[in-house]
Amino acid sequence: MGSLRNKRVLLGVTGGIAAYKSAELIRCLQGDGAQVRVVMTPAATEFITPLTLQALSGNPVSLELLDTAAEAAMGHIELARWADLILIAPASANFIARLCHGEGNDLLSTVCLASHSAIAVAPAMNKHMWENSATQKNLQQLREQAVHIFGPAAGYQACGDIGEGRMEDPAALSTMASALFSTGLLSGKKVVITAGPTREALDPVRYISNHSSGKMGYALARAATEAGANTVLISGPVQLEPPERIKIIAVESAADMLSATLEEVEGADIFIAAAAVADYRPASVAEQKIKKNDDDMYIQLVKNPDIVATVAALAERPLTVGFAAETENLEHYATQKLHKKNLDLVIANDVSDATIGFNSEDNRVLLVQPGTSKALPTMNKSLLATKLIEHIAALLSSSKLKTSQS
Ligand code: PMT
């Protein structure tokens, strides 16, 4: 299985004879581990039926921009947020021109306009259309807009011509899509990440905890590994599949998480504290189940050690990144945490909004560093993790540069 594992690929199919290859492309993307959803332009449905692509992808195919049923569930904004990658294959000369000019006159072009994910096009057209200077100018502009151009291949064309303009083979396209996520930005680096909640025991059957699902921390661990890092994930109790190629240390309490962290951060380049660590724990843990004897019950709590601040205070410390889960004054409290805990970066999220933060698919964050902050828009946690890892890798290189110059 390739590096599209857990990636969400939105396959855009436009009108062209190569649309029949989209069926095989879905299989190749799935074989490389991706979840696939399909958006077809009206012209694409003349070449292959939505039913075929629905059966193969296992998801309903989206067709209309103004579809009342779709707007309730997977409308253009939801589709745009869902995707880690939008792959348009085949991409007709007409669609390339529309994408280049930022048109939003059908569902696929609107999703592209609304998305923050990577976009790749696999051109498929007659060789003269491919060679046309207008097409080439459009492609150049798309490259400048960071759109990836996959292919085309050369060979026999449906119209009888021989030359460049055939859509790349599905297997090759899937490999090119995988390569977009294997950036090598953290090649040879050790990254330690905490994720999920902690559980602070009251007695043998009860504990204090919170709603962290671990999704944000697990997505970061995957993104770091895709970027080439040797990743260690220290995880509180969660219901998530253990990611591949990652050392996982399962812990329960803040104390367990601290000792695992201190062991693993030795020699690490980056530490990211995404876990929702309980700030307090019961002062004592009853040996037997606490009995329901009184009408009122009081639990004395004591402060837990602050894991991320402990790492940031080490003499030999990795680049240290914390989160801030706030319900108000996001930037103000995040800046306080940055300074108080001596962090290199705080990733602040507003956990009062149920659509982002705890146990949601999406998140929206503010990146707070000494003297500067940058807001990222709402996106799925996997895509956000990729962008956060890119940011953190750049921070690591610039901090290394500063150290070597001083
Ligand atoms: O797991 P999900 O459902 O995907 O949700 C993601 C998330 C909301 C949990 C995540 O994005 C997040 O915000 N994680 C940090 C939650 C938190 O505990 O925030 P805080 O503001 O209370 O703590 C600030 C920082 O100190 C965090 O990096 C935290 O890991 C760290 N901390 C806190 C207390 C403590 N005793 N030790 C710590 O290391």
Side-chain angles (χ1 to χ4, degrees), residues 194 196 211-216 273-279 304-308 322-326 337 341 349 351 357-360 363 381:
T194 64
H211 294 292
S212 170
S213 62
K215 285 177 192 164
M216 191 68 249
V277 185
D279 289 324
N304 266 330
D306 193 301
I307 300 169
V308 74
F323 271 73
E326 308 295 345
K337 280 179 183 163
K341 301 190 185 202
N349 39 200
V351 290
F358 281 108
N359 200 14
S360 56
N363 204 356
K381 284 180 179 169

Side-chain angles (χ1 to χ4, degrees), residues 62-68 70-71 75-76 104-111:
S62 304
L63 299 165
E64 306 281 343
L65 177 57
L66 302 174
D67 175 342
T68 44
E71 285 302 312
H76 61 286
N105 49 3
D106 62 13
L107 178 61
L108 184 56
S109 53
T110 316
V111 170

Side-chain angles (χ1 to χ4, degrees), residues 104-384:
N105 49 3
D106 62 13
L107 178 61
L108 184 56
S109 53
T110 316
V111 170
C112 291
L113 276 179
S115 179
H116 299 282
S117 63
I119 300 180
V121 296
M125 64 195 75
N126 166 270
K127 73 167 193 157
H128 300 295
M129 292 169 79
W130 170 253
E131 285 161 2
N132 190 292
S133 63
T135 304
Q136 289 304 318
K137 224 189 263 172
N138 289 340
L139 285 159
Q140 186 49 33
Q141 190 175 321
L142 287 183
R143 279 187 201 101
E144 285 162 17
Q145 290 167 211
V147 172
H148 304 273
I149 316 292
F150 291 173
Y156 280 100
Q157 301 200 305
C159 50
D161 281 336
I162 300 172
E164 262 194 305
R166 280 168 61 95
M167 187 172 101
E168 269 292 358
D169 281 340
L173 287 176
S174 191
T175 305
M176 290 177 198
S178 298
L180 293 182
F181 295 101
S182 314
T183 58
L185 281 174
L186 291 178
S187 209
K189 304 291 179 212
K190 180 177 180 186
V191 179
V192 179
I193 298 174
T194 64
T198 62
R199 283 181 184 170
E200 310 300 327
L202 272 166
D203 70 14
V205 294
R206 302 184 181 96
Y207 54 79
I208 296 173
S209 191
N210 59 63
H211 294 292
S212 170
S213 62
K215 285 177 192 164
M216 191 68 249
Y218 276 54
L220 281 163
R222 283 198 192 92
T225 307
E226 282 159 13
N230 161 21
T231 310
V232 179
L233 179 60
I234 301 169
S235 173
V238 297
Q239 307 294 319
L240 300 175
E241 278 221 358
E244 283 175 358
R245 297 180 286 143
I246 292 176
K247 176 177 173 186
I248 302 198
I249 303 173
V251 296
E252 289 260 334
S253 65
D256 298 341
M257 191 173 268
L258 175 66
S259 55
T261 300
L262 288 179
E263 207 162 292
E264 288 297 336
V265 289
E266 227 184 285
D269 299 277
I270 297 170
F271 174 59
I272 308 174
V277 185
D279 289 324
Y280 292 89
R281 67 179 186 280
S284 60
V285 183
E287 266 180 37
Q288 305 301 330
K289 185 181 169 199
I290 300 168
K291 286 294 182 196
K292 194 171 48 177
N293 291 329
D294 303 316
D295 285 344
D296 298 320
M297 183 190 168
Y298 298 92
I299 302 166
Q300 192 190 350
L301 300 176
V302 292
K303 215 172 197 176
N304 266 330
D306 193 301
I307 300 169
V308 74
T310 307
V311 171
L314 293 172
E316 297 268 315
R317 61 171 257 180
L319 185 100
T320 308
V321 179
F323 271 73
E326 308 295 345
T327 53
E328 56 176 350
N329 302 329
L330 195 61
E331 183 156 11
H332 175 68
Y333 288 136
T335 309
Q336 274 186 349
K337 280 179 183 163
L338 181 81
H339 296 302
K340 194 163 167 225
K341 301 190 185 202
N342 189 28
L343 306 177
D344 297 295
L345 166 68
V346 168
I347 302 165
N349 39 200
D350 178 353
V351 290
S352 69
D353 181 344
T355 65
I356 58 168
F358 281 108
N359 200 14
S360 56
E361 292 305 308
D362 299 334
N363 204 356
R364 180 174 64 247
V365 301
L366 183 70
L367 305 183
V368 180
Q369 281 165 243
T372 130
S373 69
K374 179 180 167 190
L376 295 184
T378 307
M379 59 188 95
N380 77 62
K381 284 180 179 169
S382 157
L383 179 59
L384 176 62

